[in-house]
């Protein structure tokens, strides 16, 4: 099972490393505008293989993506001082306009997993470019709020004193400041959060909820302030998405993919719970949000739609 990684920066290389550590796939090829960088990353990661799982990882060109079941796209640029969000979007749009056709020319049957921020918009644009090659949007998946959902579960599990594997709750909408934590849907081992915290005698005041909300919503900002970038969490999230696709696991993930309508906002890409398998997104699952959460999701979808419109203007 072959996986391509386009973009050998911190996110792409950490995703490749996470795949090696977790034994995801059998062969990984890293492609970057700088062959020197992709070669160095592949060599460095290959030295971890004796301590992890046996697979092949090497640097290559777009032609070496041939046969890839999944291609992770982490190419792009970061925002420069004084640069606006729209200027960043325009630069990354130009990059994706070049990258996506080359990926699909060499790996026409691959599922594309997008990591480049702002991921909702870049995923929407990738789906447009992929459609020109006859690729359905179901095979274009953004990492979306997969990481935000993990942060939500982790913080809740810490507060409640329970294994995060038994905490079920989603973050939906934009992977950004307008994201929506679905408190109304959280369950702990099948027990609704509103009941669980009372049964266990654990406080869950509005202040505690607000603190968790802020720590999830602005986690990336805090990490970037401390060390300049985030990559371990998103790298692990990408490895998980790739594993689900390679093994057709039919997992429910809060990835993003183009939607005809989200809370009344037409033709937009934001994260929702999706059933994901070997060919990408199989189905979008309905989620019964509270009126307040529905309103917040609509606002979040509108934020992303406005960003898309700004590029089309």
């Amino acid at each position: 099972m072959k996986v391509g990684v386009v973009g050998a920066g911190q996110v792409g290389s950490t995703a490749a490393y996470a795949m090696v550590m977790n034994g995801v796939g059998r062969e990984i090829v890293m492609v970057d505008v700088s062959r020197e960088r992709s070669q160095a990353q592949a060599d460095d990661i290959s030295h971890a293989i004796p301590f992890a799982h046996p697979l092949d990882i090497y640097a290559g060109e777009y032609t070496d993506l041939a046969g890839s079941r999944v291609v992770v796209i982490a190419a792009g640029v970061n925002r420069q001082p004084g640069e606006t969000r729209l200027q960043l979007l325009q630069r990354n749009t130009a990059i994706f306009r070049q990258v996506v056709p080359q990926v699909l020319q060499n790996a026409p049957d691959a599922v594309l997993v997008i990591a480049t921020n702002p991921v909702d918009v870049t995923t929407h644009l990738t789906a447009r470019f992929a459609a020109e090659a006859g690729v359905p949007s179901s095979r274009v998946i953004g990492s979306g709020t997969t990481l935000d959902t993990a942060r939500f579960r982790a913080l809740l599990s810490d507060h409640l004193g329970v294994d995060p594997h038994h905490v079920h709750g989603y973050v939906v909408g934009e992977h950004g400041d307008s994201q929506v934590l679905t408190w109304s849907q959280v369950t702990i081992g099948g027990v609704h959060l509103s009941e669980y915290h009372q049964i266990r005698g654990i406080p869950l005041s509005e202040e505690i909820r607000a603190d968790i909300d802020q720590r999830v919503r602005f986690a990336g900002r805090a990490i970037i302030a401390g060390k300049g970038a985030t990559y371990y969490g998103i790298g692990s999230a990408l490895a998980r998405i790739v594993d689900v696709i390679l093994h057709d696991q039919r997992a429910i993930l809060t990835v993003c993919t183009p939607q005809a309508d989200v809370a009344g906002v037409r033709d937009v890409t934001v994260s929702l719970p999706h059933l994901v398998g070997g060919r990408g997104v199989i189905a979008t699952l309905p989620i019964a949000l509270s009126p307040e959460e529905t309103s917040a999701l609509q606002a979040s979808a509108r934020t992303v739609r406005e960003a898309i419109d700004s590029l089309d203007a």
Side-chain angles (χ1 to χ4, degrees), residues 156-234:
L156 269 177
S157 72
D158 183 59
H159 179 70
L160 299 171
V162 63
D163 184 337
H165 288 90
H166 301 295
V167 178
H168 297 282
Y170 303 119
V171 176
V172 298
E174 178 198 19
H175 172 57
D177 294 354
S178 72
Q179 63 187 232
V180 183
L181 280 65
T182 61
W183 289 95
S184 68
Q185 299 299 304
V186 176
T187 60
I188 315 298
V191 179
H192 195 276
L193 176 63
S194 61
E195 298 177 25
Y196 184 88
H197 84 90
Q198 293 179 346
I199 292 170
R200 295 281 294 118
I202 300 171
L204 194 62
S205 64
E206 286 302 317
E207 291 77 11
I208 292 173
R209 290 180 185 236
D211 177 65
I212 291 174
D213 182 292
Q214 293 296 296
R215 290 166 65 193
V216 172
R217 191 179 305 275
F218 302 117
R221 185 181 300 178
I223 293 169
I224 290 170
K227 69 172 194 173
T230 65
Y231 36 89
Y232 292 124
I234 186 59

Side-chain angles (χ1 to χ4, degrees), residues 67-87:
S68 296
R69 291 269 305 280
V70 183
V71 176
V72 175
I73 303 180
V77 293
N78 296 320
R79 186 183 295 188
Q80 300 299 312
E83 185 176 37
T84 67
R85 175 186 173 91
L86 178 56
Q87 289 171 328

Side-chain angles (χ1 to χ4, degrees), residues 18-213:
M19 284 185 260
V20 168
M21 290 294 103
N22 289 282
V24 177
R26 182 65 186 81
E27 180 182 356
I28 301 172
V29 55
M30 302 189 69
V31 177
D32 193 87
V33 65
S34 167
R35 180 57 183 261
E36 183 179 22
R37 177 165 64 176
S38 60
Q39 187 67 60
Q41 295 285 27
D43 287 346
D44 193 14
I45 296 170
S46 72
H47 300 158
I49 289 175
F51 308 108
H53 297 271
L55 53 77
D56 297 323
I57 182 167
Y58 56 93
E61 305 298 333
Y62 282 101
T63 52
D64 296 301
L65 295 173
S68 296
R69 291 269 305 280
V70 183
V71 176
V72 175
I73 303 180
V77 293
N78 296 320
R79 186 183 295 188
Q80 300 299 312
E83 185 176 37
T84 67
R85 175 186 173 91
L86 178 56
Q87 289 171 328
L88 174 65
L89 278 171
Q90 290 171 333
R91 289 204 295 151
N92 276 334
T93 297
I95 291 171
F96 269 63
R97 194 179 297 278
Q98 294 179 346
V99 167
V100 175
Q102 291 186 80
V103 170
L104 291 175
Q105 180 180 348
N106 292 284
D109 298 322
V111 176
L112 306 184
V113 177
I114 314 305
T116 304
N117 279 321
V119 70
D120 309 286
V121 181
T122 55
T123 301
H124 196 89
L125 294 174
T126 299
R128 281 187 186 176
F129 302 148
E132 296 172 1
V135 175
S137 62
S138 59
R139 277 172 49 199
V140 179
I141 300 174
S143 56
T145 56
T146 306
L147 177 56
D148 306 282
T149 292
R151 289 166 172 162
F152 187 27
R153 293 174 59 194
L155 289 173
L156 269 177
S157 72
D158 183 59
H159 179 70
L160 299 171
V162 63
D163 184 337
H165 288 90
H166 301 295
V167 178
H168 297 282
Y170 303 119
V171 176
V172 298
E174 178 198 19
H175 172 57
D177 294 354
S178 72
Q179 63 187 232
V180 183
L181 280 65
T182 61
W183 289 95
S184 68
Q185 299 299 304
V186 176
T187 60
I188 315 298
V191 179
H192 195 276
L193 176 63
S194 61
E195 298 177 25
Y196 184 88
H197 84 90
Q198 293 179 346
I199 292 170
R200 295 281 294 118
I202 300 171
L204 194 62
S205 64
E206 286 302 317
E207 291 77 11
I208 292 173
R209 290 180 185 236
D211 177 65
I212 291 174
D213 182 292

